[in-house]
Amino acid sequence: MKHRILLVDDEPDILEFIRYNLTREGYEVYTAENGKVALEIAQKQKPHLILLDMMMPVMGGIQTCRAIRQNPELKDTMVVFLSALGEEEQQLKGFDVGADDYLTKPIKMKLLVSRVQALLKRIDPDPATAAPAVPQSGVVIDTESHTVICNGEQITLPRKEFSLLHLLASSPGKLITREEIYDKIWGEKVVVGDRTIDVHIRKLRQKIGEEHIVTVKGVGYRFEE
């Protein structure tokens, strides 16, 4: 399967440079210079991954990401911010509107390609090879449809929240350290703020209930049956 990537940035030179390199890697690449155009292209092309700048004219990154997450047809599309705004507050804003990752410019092209490859490896083109649903204490995780059923109610989670819940629920009662979460969910090469995990845990608790995820202060979290 040839993965489709949409690049969104208001600097034409950056768009062309990244487009050229990702095309060389075999990806089908589309470009847009603002969020409004990006939404039109995304609706038509259904990209697997969107690399999204934060500060843009017409429609900024936050507004664009929020619109993507509100569109049922784009629920499986991964959104990664690629922005010169590297402050923790900006990163948290990105995660709050449903971003799967946040990368800071400038970034070496080899590292960007590596991150893109790692993200797209999560997409399984063959439904027959998808992992079966994993029931855990009233929570059923379906890795194929990327949905969670909690107490009989189906909910859809952003990819990072889904991956975090799956990691915790796969080992009920086991303490998962913050370091292990950073490593398995974000990867060793990605630098995220100290509060990033806390934000994702808080959002998970709002959706599946407070009782399932227990905080071990200063160490990590565990999933309770």
Side-chain angles (χ1 to χ4, degrees):
M1 178 176 64
K2 194 171 186 179
H3 291 114
R4 297 180 297 278
I5 299 175
L6 173 58
L7 309 176
V8 192
D9 199 299
D10 62 341
E11 297 187 40
D13 291 344
I14 291 178
L15 279 181
E16 178 55 28
F17 180 65
I18 298 178
R19 185 204 65 77
Y20 172 76
N21 281 276
L22 290 180
T23 300
R24 286 183 61 188
E25 295 294 325
Y27 298 113
E28 184 177 336
V29 183
Y30 303 89
T31 62
E33 295 189 8
N34 62 66
K36 184 176 183 297
V37 175
L39 290 175
E40 295 171 356
I41 295 175
Q43 183 69 33
K44 182 179 179 180
Q45 302 298 339
K46 305 297 189 298
H48 299 95
L49 171 66
I50 297 176
L51 289 174
L52 182 62
D53 190 21
M54 183 71 80
M55 300 294 292
M56 296 181 295
V58 184
M59 180 181 288
I62 292 294
Q63 187 179 359
T64 303
C65 184
R66 184 180 292 115
I68 292 169
R69 290 298 176 235
Q70 291 173 348
N71 187 334
E73 295 185 21
L74 300 176
K75 66 181 180 65
D76 293 327
T77 299
M78 288 183 285
V79 179
V80 176
F81 278 105
L82 180 59
S83 174
L85 300 176
E87 296 83 0
E88 181 178 330
E89 180 181 352
Q90 294 297 328
Q91 295 185 33
L92 291 175
K93 286 181 179 179
F95 289 127
D96 278 344
V97 292
D100 296 286
D101 213 336
Y102 195 110
L103 305 176
T104 303
K105 295 188 290 188
I107 183 172
K108 292 183 178 180
M109 186 51 57
K110 286 185 178 180
L111 177 57
L112 177 59
V113 170
S114 176
R115 291 303 303 160
V116 167
Q117 290 172 341
L119 287 163
L120 291 176
K121 279 181 181 178
R122 302 175 189 174
I123 298 176
D124 189 347
D126 183 4
T129 64
V134 180
Q136 293 288 354
S137 181
V139 176
V140 178
I141 302 173
D142 189 331
T143 56
E144 165 59 21
S145 63
H146 205 267
T147 57
V148 174
I149 298 176
C150 181
N151 298 324
E153 180 181 354
Q154 179 173 300
I155 58 178
T156 301
L157 301 175
R159 287 186 178 270
K160 278 292 187 291
E161 290 178 29
F162 182 88
S163 298
L164 177 55
L165 177 60
H166 188 267
L167 173 64
L168 295 172
S170 294
S171 302
K174 177 184 176 182
L175 172 64
I176 308 295
T177 66
R178 295 175 67 88
E179 289 75 16
E180 184 177 353
I181 292 173
Y182 278 128
D183 181 38
K184 292 185 176 180
I185 304 301
W186 280 271
E188 294 180 352
K189 295 181 180 179
V190 179
V191 179
V192 296
D194 290 339
R195 291 191 56 221
T196 301
I197 292 179
D198 302 329
V199 171
H200 284 74
I201 290 291
R202 172 170 55 82
K203 288 181 172 295
L204 276 177
R205 284 171 169 158
Q206 290 172 350
K207 295 169 183 176
I208 69 170
E210 296 281 342
E211 69 278 7
H212 290 295
I213 301 176
V214 176
T215 300
V216 180
K217 191 172 182 180
V219 181
Y221 302 90
R222 69 172 182 267
F223 186 87
E224 291 291 346
E225 294 188 270

